[in-house]
């Protein structure tokens, strides 16, 4: 409190970042502390609804529940935005018109979650039975009952699929609006709410939904509430995402598995061929050696460079946490490295290993490559650079199982499937007036310096918003960084949920 | 017949190889043609008995059946040679003393077979229901009933586990002795029979059995009847085997799987590390680049070199058959290549591929290496050369999961498990008098020039016979080369079984 008073006395009036918490934030905080029981109760109900792509009825129940959450909050024009394809999960829409507002913000989150394998979850924790723990599992957290006195320790965590990715986003956004209204405050912008139901399944129909609703979804800015805050625990804003593209490689050797004694040294080994091919793509300093791989990259602006330089280093912390002692691209920090195009092996396989290994020469070897792209890269051109490199290593490139004629003619045969689900990077300028308002609004909720990321390392198809709606996007994530997103034992730290409500509320009231 | 008469007129009296069939062979042929029904009937009974390691009762039934086969043939001193470990399959032993014989031969085959996965076998063919086909499956063979007139087309095949590997060996040996006696011929050597029951399980207790029976098993030569004839279809004799050793490699990176977007370029990728490590072990000409890898090799003798030069080339045939257009060690023929030490990747794996692939950086990458050794190589020294090479690439080598302290100190960590089941190559000199007798005996059964292999590419623990019995070994295989040994749809071509009887009989009567 003292800090805020000081900041106020010093002239807390501009939209420049300040290390003080706004009076509005304090009002919102008071609200969620007094109503924690209701907020958590509703959140637990939402987490109890299975939300995986293979369960469309479950997804529909989630959408219905969110519509009811909106109706309870007196949000208007509530509706499902279905896709053209029957059966795909609809988006849930609602809006609030604010008298005198000059801008419109759309808040995005998604209510679907990644598939679950309950057997991989910790004992006593079921993906769709939200469970309260005293701390993180790997910090000796134990199961505790939900409190009856309405007092929640902010270090407690709720475990369950979607707890942080991304039902926390839905809850933070809707409770933020609730908190504003019930605290006697007023949003400064018109608000729209868009909750997707197909994000974890690749947003396959998002383009349909956007294209069919261009007027309904018009806005000055999309605010994407998805993902974790900075590894330091500080709040962060991401102004962009890397693009993504894939390549599936399969090298063919003998048609049948061969006895490694009778044919070893003579019959080509596809695992060794793949190893040599992959090894040719990167040098020992972690740089991709494929011709032109780092071309096309649009340099950072002065503001972006300044922001990047100010990102707190978590390299030492993350190395400790992950049990590694060096990084791949030598000489680059984590935030520098993830702002470069990358080539990563997601998986590779040939023959069998461990107890299944036998004295054989395998018939084929396969690898999946994941290419991350930065602004300026075209995802198909980036795929083509890799394909050209493979050709330059002497490979005959095909898109099918090799025929006998092809086998007879070419010593090195590779099938390449260039994934058609790629997309480019997206970056919103940090210099835009609205970007500065977003920065100020988030900074107004915390006395820690917030982290500004010109781009996150991960990818989201944010280009769709630009393509179909000509819209800008900025990501404001709220989850703890150790939330086990996409994996077993997903969880949200309560402090992150509550602070997320404060962040979303501040954005709705941004100057 | 005409060929034999001509050879006889020209002076068929020496033990030098001759391209004529001996009169004894013709007598044996007449016998097996007249008794094909009995021979095949008994063979089918033997093949009906499950003979896999996981079924000890089945193995015992096989041993009992073979003892009964011996008793029927008036073979003496029949007994089981058990292992010290109760439960391990015994060897079956029997012998025939021949008045005036100056030498003793032991005939070796094994009655156990590789594990089976019935679902991988062709429709209508069960591993332990011997089935007659009109030809090989991939040559449009169809199921036919066993004939009632005793006439078997030599191109027919019997399908079933053990049909060629190696119950064909047991049947050929015991029917050869039967044919000699019933044709009024006489063996020239004392004969011993040794049928192992644990070969496909790694001959784990063979040393026990040999050590406990050194007198019983004394001989001038072990004749190993196991494996296929030459790919040209010609009979062959192998005077040696390559040795074998294994290495299991696991490279460690981050403790938990990482999002390839958020950490790609920064977190080390173990699949890429493994690819670079494996790639460093071989050059583009298929030569192993590990220091000293080709040292220690004992050169071939003049006789071995001559034999090697005379091995018919099957390179073009095998390339067609396998669908490959080039070989790994450039400039070397198949028989040259398999007489060099080799380094082969049996399998490698990291992360997931295909539909299971996800946008991750895997936590580890693993590979299994198979080292084949030639005369002069020591299997542990050969393993050590690979380990030293890996160290020279900057790896910290451990034999356990890395500790946090090790992870914090070393950038490149690899767990290496050097398999302790390795053994050295074994070679019997082709210049030994007894070797020349073996060559002459096999050559006396065929008008085709037989193939003499100084060593086969594969490995057998023949060093055990030398170590425990100070004995020489020569391999005389009989199965067709396309017998699907170790795999589904194992089969024997009847011609190979019948000609195998002729080969074994000729050896028993060798001059």
């Amino acid at each position: 409190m003292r800090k805020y008073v000081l900041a106020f006395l010093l002239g807390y009036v501009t939209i420049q970042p300040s290390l003080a918490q706004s009076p509005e934030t304090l009002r919102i905080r008071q609200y969620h502390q007094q109503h924690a029981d209701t907020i958590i109760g509703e959140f637990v109900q939402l987490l109890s609804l299975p939300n995986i792509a293979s369960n469309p009825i479950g997804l529909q129940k989630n959408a219905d529940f969110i519509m009811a959450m909106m109706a309870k909050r007196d949000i208007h024009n509530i509706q499902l935005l279905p896709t053209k394809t029957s059966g795909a999960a609809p988006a849930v829409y609602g809006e609030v018109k604010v008298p005198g507002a000059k801008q419109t913000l759309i808040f995005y989150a998604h209510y679907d979650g990644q598939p679950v394998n309950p057997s991989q979850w910790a004992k006593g924790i079921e993906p769709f039975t939200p469970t309260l723990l005293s701390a993180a599992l790997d910090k000796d957290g134990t199961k505790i009952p939900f409190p009856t006195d309405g007092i929640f320790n902010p270090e407690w965590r709720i475990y369950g699929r979607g707890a942080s990715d991304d039902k926390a986003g839905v809850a933070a956004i809707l409770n933020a609006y609730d908190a504003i209204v019930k605290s006697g405050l007023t949003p400064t912008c018109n608000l729209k709410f868009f909750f997707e139901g197909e994000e974890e399944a690749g947003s396959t129909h998002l383009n349909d939904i956007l294209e069919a609703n261009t007027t309904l979804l018009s806005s000055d800015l999309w605010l994407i509430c998805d993902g974790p805050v900075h590894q330091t625990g500080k709040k962060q804003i991401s102004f962009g995402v890397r693009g993504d593209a894939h390549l599936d490689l399969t090298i063919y050797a003998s048609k049948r598995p061969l006895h490694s004694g009778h044919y070893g040294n003579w019959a080509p080994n596809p695992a060794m061929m793949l190893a040599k091919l992959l090894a040719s793509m990167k040098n020992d300093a972690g740089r991709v050696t494929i011709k032109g791989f780092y071309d096309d990259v649009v340099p950072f602006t002065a503001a972006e460079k300044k922001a990047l330089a100010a990102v707190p280093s978590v390299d030492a912390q993350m190395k400790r946490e992950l049990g590694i002692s060096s990084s791949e691209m030598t000489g680059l920090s984590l935030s520098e490295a993830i702002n470069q195009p990358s080539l990563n092996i997601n998986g590779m396989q040939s023959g069998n290993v461990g107890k299944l290994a036998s004295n054989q020469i395998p018939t084929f070897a396969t690898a999946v490559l994941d290419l991350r792209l930065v602004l300026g890269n075209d995802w198909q051109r980036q795929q083509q650079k890799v394909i050209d490199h493979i050709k330059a290593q002497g490979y005959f490139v095909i898109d099918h199982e090799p025929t006998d004629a092809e086998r007879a003619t070419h010593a090195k045969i590779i099938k390449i499937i260039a994934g058609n689900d790629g997309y480019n990077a997206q970056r919103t300028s940090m210099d835009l007036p609205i970007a500065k308002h977003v920065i100020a609004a988030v900074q107004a909720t915390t006395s820690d310096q917030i982290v500004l990321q010109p781009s996150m390392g991960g990818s989201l198809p944010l280009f769709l918003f630009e393509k179909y709606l000509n819209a800008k996007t900025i990501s404001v994530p709220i989850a703890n960084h150790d939330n086990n997103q996409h994996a077993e034992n997903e969880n949200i730290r309560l402090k992150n949920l509550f602070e997320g409500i404060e962040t979303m509320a501040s954005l709705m009231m941004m100057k």
Side-chain angles (χ1 to χ4, degrees), chain A:
Chain A
M1 187 74 168
R2 198 181 309 155
K3 266 189 189 157
Y4 160 67
V5 173
L6 186 65
F8 187 80
L9 293 174
L10 290 171
Y12 179 82
V13 286
T14 75
I15 58 163
Q16 291 307 311
S18 149
L19 297 190
Q21 298 172 47
S22 67
E24 291 85 353
T25 291
L26 302 182
R27 294 266 294 270
I28 297 295
R29 185 169 305 159
Q30 189 180 43
Y31 174 84
H32 70 64
Q33 284 173 348
Q34 287 171 354
H35 297 84
D37 214 27
T38 315
I39 293 168
I40 298 296
E42 184 187 52
F43 184 53
V44 164
Q45 277 188 283
L46 179 58
L47 291 183
S48 306
L49 303 174
N51 66 339
I52 55 182
S54 58
N55 180 356
I57 293 173
L59 286 172
Q60 184 61 53
K61 283 186 186 164
N62 278 274
D64 292 344
F65 189 87
I66 294 169
M67 297 230 293
M69 285 172 78
M70 288 185 177
K72 226 187 318 181
R73 284 160 175 84
D74 210 14
I75 290 170
H76 306 134
N77 202 11
I78 300 168
Q79 57 187 291
L80 295 180
L81 305 181
T83 68
K84 282 185 210 157
T85 311
S86 115
V92 185
Y93 176 84
E95 62 183 35
V96 174
K97 287 215 177 356
V98 175
K102 297 201 177 74
Q103 298 193 106
T104 300
L105 302 176
I106 303 196
F107 287 82
Y108 168 100
H110 63 89
Y111 62 83
D112 66 314
Q114 283 271 320
V116 290
N117 181 345
S119 72
Q120 295 174 333
W121 288 57
K123 210 180 152 192
I125 302 184
E126 296 287 331
F128 297 112
T129 306
T131 307
L132 191 65
L133 266 75
S134 58
L137 261 179
D138 59 1
K139 297 282 187 299
D140 301 323
T142 54
K143 211 166 149 174
I144 50 175
F146 282 90
T148 50
D149 59 2
I151 298 175
F152 288 80
N153 182 325
E155 292 304 328
W156 289 350
R157 294 186 182 213
I158 295 177
Y159 278 71
R161 173 57 81 230
S164 62
D165 182 20
D166 182 28
K167 288 181 176 178
V170 176
I173 291 167
L174 293 181
N175 283 305
Y177 176 65
D178 217 16
I180 290 171
V181 172
K182 295 194 178 148
S183 303
L185 298 166
T186 317
T188 54
C189 307
N190 295 316
L191 306 177
K192 294 181 177 179
F193 305 101
F194 182 93
F195 301 121
E196 192 187 355
E198 225 191 356
E199 200 271 345
E200 300 296 0
S203 298
T204 322
H205 301 88
L206 182 57
N207 56 346
D208 286 352
I209 297 177
L210 300 185
E211 203 172 5
N213 297 285
T214 50
T215 309
L216 187 69
L217 300 175
S218 67
S219 74
D220 294 282
L221 182 68
W222 282 70
L223 284 159
I224 311 297
C225 182
D226 193 10
V229 299
H230 194 249
Q231 291 99 334
T232 50
K234 292 179 178 167
K235 292 189 177 184
Q236 75 179 349
I237 304 175
S238 289
F239 294 86
V241 288
R242 284 203 281 189
D244 200 13
H246 289 92
L247 289 165
D248 242 87
L249 315 179
T250 307
I251 289 175
Y252 294 89
S254 166
K255 278 191 204 176
R256 60 167 198 256
L258 293 173
H259 190 289
S260 62
H262 295 319
Y263 295 95
N265 269 354
W266 184 77
N269 185 307
M272 181 57 85
M273 293 170 75
L274 181 62
K276 291 185 89 71
L277 179 62
L278 294 173
S280 76
M281 296 182 183
K282 232 170 213 187
N283 68 19
D284 288 339
R287 266 65 175 181
V288 177
T289 50
I290 292 170
K291 197 176 160 193
F293 197 80
Y294 297 108
D295 290 357
D296 310 327
V297 174
V298 172
F300 283 120
T301 63
E304 288 168 338
K305 276 184 196 160
K306 198 178 148 198
L308 210 49
V311 173
S313 172
V314 288
D315 288 44
Q317 171 199 334
M318 291 310 298
K319 282 180 185 170
R320 258 196 321 277
E321 198 173 313
L322 302 175
I324 55 177
S325 68
S326 70
S327 55
E328 190 177 49
M329 284 185 100
T330 55
L332 294 193
S333 68
L334 172 57
S335 51
E336 286 166 342
I338 61 172
N339 279 300
Q340 294 285 335
S342 72
L343 180 150
N344 176 64
I345 305 172
N346 288 146
M348 69 177 182
Q349 193 169 347
S350 186
N352 290 303
V353 295
K355 287 190 179 153
L356 292 176
S358 63
N359 282 337
Q360 63 150 327
I361 302 171
T363 55
F364 68 92
T366 184
V368 177
L369 301 184
D370 166 43
L371 309 177
R372 299 281 167 167
L373 318 163
V374 301
L375 208 64
N377 292 143
D378 174 81
W379 65 276
Q380 284 168 313
R381 193 163 64 232
Q382 204 75 349
Q383 284 178 329
Q384 192 59 47
K385 287 175 196 168
V386 181
I387 296 169
D388 290 345
H389 173 85
I390 293 171
K391 285 181 180 165
Q393 310 305 306
Y395 277 91
F396 178 65
V397 174
I398 52 179
D399 64 358
H400 51 268
E401 300 273 309
T403 64
D404 284 351
E406 286 164 342
R407 285 175 167 278
T409 318
H410 303 281
K412 295 162 91 175
I413 299 181
I414 191 167
K415 180 175 79 179
I416 303 184
I417 304 297
N420 57 10
D421 56 349
Y423 52 83
N424 292 349
Q426 182 74 8
R427 215 145 80 205
T428 297
S429 168
M430 299 170 76
D431 297 326
L432 290 179
I434 201 164
K436 294 187 175 173
H437 289 278
V438 168
I439 295 168
V442 177
Q443 186 62 71
T445 65
T446 170
S447 52
D448 284 329
Q449 180 76 54
I450 65 169
V451 177
L452 305 182
Q453 299 275 17
S455 174
M456 65 168 96
S459 303
L460 289 169
L462 298 187
F463 77 99
L464 290 172
F465 298 100
E466 185 168 76
K467 180 172 174 185
Y468 292 100
L469 305 175
N470 196 27
K472 301 289 177 200
T473 52
I474 294 177
S475 295
V476 184
I478 63 168
N480 37 301
H481 87 280
D482 57 349
N483 66 52
N484 279 30
Q485 191 180 355
H486 290 200
E488 61 277 13
N489 305 324
E490 180 178 346
N491 66 85
I492 183 90
R493 179 166 156 263
L494 295 187
K495 191 168 199 281
N496 285 75
L497 179 63
F498 292 131
E499 291 187 352
I501 294 172
E502 296 171 15
T503 303
M504 293 302 127
S506 191
L507 287 165
M508 292 173 190
M509 297 184 286
M510 76 187 194
K511 305 290 187 298

